[in-house]
């Protein structure tokens, strides 16, 4: 009798500790690292979701794997890289997150072992729970190789003698992709779609400080985009802002069915602006419960 009581007490105590641990795990700070090829890609693809995470006290870092030094029709080189780094730092301050720009030339990113080490170290140092990147069949070579490099790091982050200077991860993070429109070999198919309506203005404000890319048009822009009269400049700013809002509205429209999986049909029908993410087959493979912990924005 005594033995069975002691065992019962032990079982209850173990269950209590397990429940406390589960609660702590549910509430603990999340750490997310997003990779983009250029200083603006992460902000475009995940700026709203990052602002949501940041507002709940989670830690987000945006990394650009190139310095963006050919991303303008008039300017290039060091001065453009410096300008774009400042732009992205200002944008990420608005979102409430950390930023890093890796000093690799724009248009020249390759999936080398050296770059695999850079990406592996960044993921480990951030102690990431979740890692995001472009898909490896996006249109721009730097986007594609960002996707390849992040995929190549997805297993290596756990291997102790690859980059032994930074401790290997005990838990493999979850890896996810940003959306694109490319159909071959397979179209983007999101696993999580996030309502960003509540932070849309913050995202648009952040994109709005990246003048070189959006008001001036980046690599494919021209002087014609830059009106001299202040009224016309205001018009240009509004035009850019409206364009980005439409882009996030079209994601909500395109993935309305998947929104319903997370918000329920009624609520999903009212979502105006969204960001979407697809699970990578490498890295940890989360179930819906784990995804809800990684994206703690759904009430149902
Ligand atoms: Zn880009």
């Amino acid at each position: 009798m005594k033995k069975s009581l002691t065992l019962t007490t032990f079982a209850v105590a173990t269950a209590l500790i397990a429940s406390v641990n589960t609660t702590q795990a549910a509430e603990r700070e999340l750490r997310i690292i997003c990779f983009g090829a250029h200083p603006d890609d992460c902000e475009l693809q995940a700026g709203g979701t990052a602002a949501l995470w940041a507002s709940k006290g989670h830690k987000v870092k945006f990394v650009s794997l190139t310095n963006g030094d050919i991303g303008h029709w008039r300017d290039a080189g060091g001065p453009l890289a410096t300008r774009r780094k400042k732009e992205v730092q200002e944008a990420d301050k608005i979102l409430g997150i950390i930023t890093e720009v890796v000093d690799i030339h724009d248009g020249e990113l390759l999936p080398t072992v050296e770059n695999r080490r850079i990406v592996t170290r960044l993921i480990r140092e951030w102690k990431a729970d979740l890692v995001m990147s472009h898909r490896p069949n996006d249109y721009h070579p730097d986007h594609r190789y960002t996707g390849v490099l992040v995929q190549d790091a997805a297993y290596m982050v756990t291997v102790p003698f690859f980059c032994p200077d930074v401790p290997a991860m005990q838990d493999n993070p979850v890896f996810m992709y940003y959306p694109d429109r490319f159909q071959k070999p397979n179209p983007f198919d999101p696993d999580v779609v996030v309502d960003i309506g509540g932070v849309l203005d913050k995202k648009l404000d952040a994109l709005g400080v990246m003048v070189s890319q959006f008001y001036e048009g980046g690599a494919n822009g021209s002087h014609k985009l830059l009106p001299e009269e202040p009224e016309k400049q205001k018009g240009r700013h509004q035009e850019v802002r409206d364009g980005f809002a439409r882009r996030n509205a079209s994601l909500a429209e395109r993935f309305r069915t998947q929104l319903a999986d997370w918000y329920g049909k009624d609520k999903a029908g009212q979502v105006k602006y969204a960001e979407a993410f697809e699970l990578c087959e490498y890295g940890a493979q989360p179930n819906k419960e784990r995804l809800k912990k990684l994206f703690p924005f759904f009430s149902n």
Side-chain angles (χ1 to χ4, degrees):
M1 182 70 185
K2 194 177 175 193
K3 192 178 175 191
S4 99
L5 252 185
T6 312
L7 271 178
T8 310
T9 312
F10 177 75
V12 169
T14 310
L16 270 175
I17 289 166
S19 110
V20 168
N21 283 344
T22 310
T23 311
Q24 280 172 347
E27 289 171 358
R28 83 178 169 79
E29 168 194 291
L30 295 167
R31 301 186 64 83
I32 300 101
I33 189 164
C34 298
F35 289 90
H38 308 108
D40 67 357
D41 286 319
C42 295
E43 290 76 8
L44 281 166
Q45 297 280 17
T49 311
L52 285 172
W53 275 313
S55 71
K56 288 177 169 283
H58 301 297
K59 299 287 181 284
V60 186
K61 181 173 187 176
F62 279 2
V63 177
S64 172
L65 282 183
T66 77
N67 61 18
D69 61 355
I70 59 164
H72 201 270
W73 47 272
R74 182 193 57 213
D75 306 326
L80 179 60
T82 304
R83 184 182 183 200
R84 294 192 66 182
K85 190 171 178 178
K86 276 189 193 148
E87 287 178 351
V88 86
Q89 283 170 336
E90 201 183 330
D92 293 353
K93 207 180 204 178
I94 293 169
L95 299 173
I97 65 167
I98 304 292
T99 196
E100 180 164 342
V101 177
V102 180
D103 195 20
I104 294 171
H105 288 305
D106 189 346
E108 299 183 13
L109 184 69
L110 288 172
T112 60
V113 174
E114 187 192 358
N115 291 339
R116 186 187 301 164
R117 289 195 187 103
I118 289 173
V119 172
T120 299
R121 287 192 181 105
L122 283 164
I123 296 170
R124 286 180 181 170
E125 282 163 355
W126 192 247
K127 298 183 170 55
D129 299 294
L130 176 60
V131 183
M132 291 195 173
S133 80
H134 305 282
R135 294 201 307 159
N137 51 324
D138 205 337
Y139 79 104
H140 192 298
D142 292 341
H143 290 204
R144 285 201 294 278
Y145 293 136
T146 298
V148 170
L149 284 162
V150 173
Q151 281 188 350
D152 287 353
Y155 171 60
M156 301 313 284
V157 291
T158 67
V159 175
F161 290 105
F162 185 69
C163 299
D165 53 312
V166 183
M169 303 184 81
Q170 299 300 312
D171 297 317
N172 205 182
V174 170
F175 290 75
M176 299 187 89
Y177 299 121
Y178 310 129
D180 58 61
R181 283 271 182 192
F182 302 98
Q183 304 293 308
K184 298 173 185 174
N186 57 304
F188 174 82
D189 181 17
D191 293 279
V192 176
V193 187
V194 179
D195 173 8
I196 60 158
V199 288
L200 184 77
D201 280 332
K202 195 179 261 197
K203 176 174 181 176
L204 299 181
D205 289 347
L207 295 174
V209 302
M210 289 191 266
V211 173
S212 73
Q213 297 309 293
F214 302 134
Y215 302 145
E216 297 177 7
N220 299 130
S222 81
H223 69 279
K224 289 180 195 149
L225 292 174
L226 297 172
E228 279 175 21
E229 301 88 332
E231 271 315 301
K232 283 191 180 167
Q233 278 179 12
K234 263 193 211 165
R236 169 73 184 145
H237 292 185
Q238 195 57 48
E239 176 184 72
V240 168
R241 199 173 172 94
D242 293 347
F244 286 131
R246 277 199 302 277
R247 193 171 161 147
N248 288 106
S250 82
L251 285 172
E253 216 42 70
R254 192 172 147 199
F255 301 125
R256 189 74 64 194
T257 312
Q258 290 91 334
L259 271 168
D261 293 342
W262 295 98
Y263 293 94
K265 206 170 175 215
D266 290 349
K267 221 171 158 191
Q270 293 159 20
V271 173
K272 284 190 180 158
Y273 305 101
E275 286 175 347
F277 309 101
E278 178 180 347
L279 275 171
C280 169
E281 288 183 293
Y282 315 137
Q285 298 300 295
N287 58 19
K288 193 161 184 177
E289 286 314 302
R290 172 106 197 266
L291 282 173
K292 277 185 183 172
K293 284 178 185 160
L294 289 171
F295 293 85
F297 317 126
F298 311 111
S299 50
N300 63 324

